[in-house]
Amino acid sequence: MIRKLRLKIVVIIMLLLTIMTSSLMLSLNVISQLQNKQIIEDRLEKLANSNTLSAFDDISPFKNEENSYMDFFSVMLNANNQILTLTFNRDIVVQADEIIDYVNQALSTGNEKGTLGRYAYIVKYKPYGKIVVFLDISQMQTQNRNLFFTTLIMGIIAEVLSLILALGLAFWLVRPVKETLDKQKLFISNASHELKTPLAVIKANTDVLEGEIGENKWLGYIKDESTRMSELVNELLCLARLDDKSSNKMIMEDFSLSDLVLQSALPFESRMFENGKKFNVDVQPNVSFHGDKSTIQHIITILIDNAEKYSDENGEINVRLYTHGKSKTIEVYNTGRGILPEKLNKVFERFYREDEARNSKSGGYGLGLAIARSGAEAHGGSITAQSEYGKWAKFIVTL
């Protein structure tokens, strides 16, 4: 839970910072391109609106941010699109066939303004025909590219720094929660250990007293409740053991998962038969697994017991083991009321009981599925629930 909480915090912080950084970088690039576009259009308009050919010689050079001149050339055409005059500034080098090609491309587009490679152009109609002005914008194009890559690098650096910041904040924000949960787990573990001794004494004294005075309904109540309390303590201890990541108390070994599923299901056969329920076990042979055998067996037992409790009268319970690639999957299915869609994830929460009256009757504490999930996650696996409410429920353990 702590890991998921940290991940959520990191994702939220990174998402917010990414949106802010991306917006800033995008704004810089867009503003720069719009400014350059306006400068180019203004210069083309001024050049194209000159009334005489000699007027080009009177135009002051246009300078960009690097104080260098922007080259241009213009082509005057008559009404038949025949070239009348070419005008250049500085020592721009453009071949005659290139000029004709540029002019034809500009006129073929049918647009008054546009861009052809490194040149921006404008077409203006005059009394003698038309004039086409081409302005060299290669320096501005280079500036735009440089700005893009600069902001991209800055964005990547900002993302890395944001990730470091987010991780630090996540650990700092979650630390009080982690400390509280650790204390809670420690309390549950210690309290469970402390309760085992007085419960054992109560049960022993009850047995002695029953031997002296014979059967008594009050002693029966004490024995029943002591047994239920012992089951709860054992479940809490099991959860504490699975939660304790600091000390590896699980014994990892290779074993036959196929045999383990069959052994776990065998004790339920007589109970299912007595209750008139169909019990089917489908196990793929020769499936092995490396893990804690007792924990996996406990998971299987919890799921079968859960399926029996919540199956309908004369219902059906199916246990299945199969492999898919490197994964081993255990499915436990039962007919019955099933689980509401909005509660499929809640059933794995500790002490969660969908139906208080029904669970009290069945003797559950809402810890079984929580133990199953912790056991599966301790092996790097997962457990999920599926259900069609009113018909069936199925729990799937993937190892």
Side-chain angles (χ1 to χ4, degrees), residues 48 61 82 96 146 151 210 220 227 246 270 282 288 310 356:
Q82 294 176 333
N146 291 341
T151 53
E210 188 177 37
T227 301
S246 59
S270 59
D282 179 16
S288 60
Y310 300 116
E356 291 292 334

Side-chain angles (χ1 to χ4, degrees), residues 115-127:
T115 303
L116 297 173
R118 63 183 293 175
Y119 293 103
Y121 69 87
I122 187 171
V123 179
K124 285 288 186 180
Y125 289 89
K126 301 288 184 177

Side-chain angles (χ1 to χ4, degrees), residues 182-216:
D182 289 340
K183 290 177 181 178
Q184 182 187 39
K185 292 174 182 177
L186 181 62
F187 169 77
I188 292 174
S189 178
N190 293 338
S192 300
H193 279 290
E194 293 297 326
L195 286 171
K196 286 180 71 71
T197 300
L199 282 172
V201 173
I202 291 171
K203 291 179 69 176
N205 289 334
T206 304
D207 291 336
V208 172
L209 188 58
E210 188 177 37
E212 292 184 359
I213 66 174
E215 291 187 4
N216 182 285

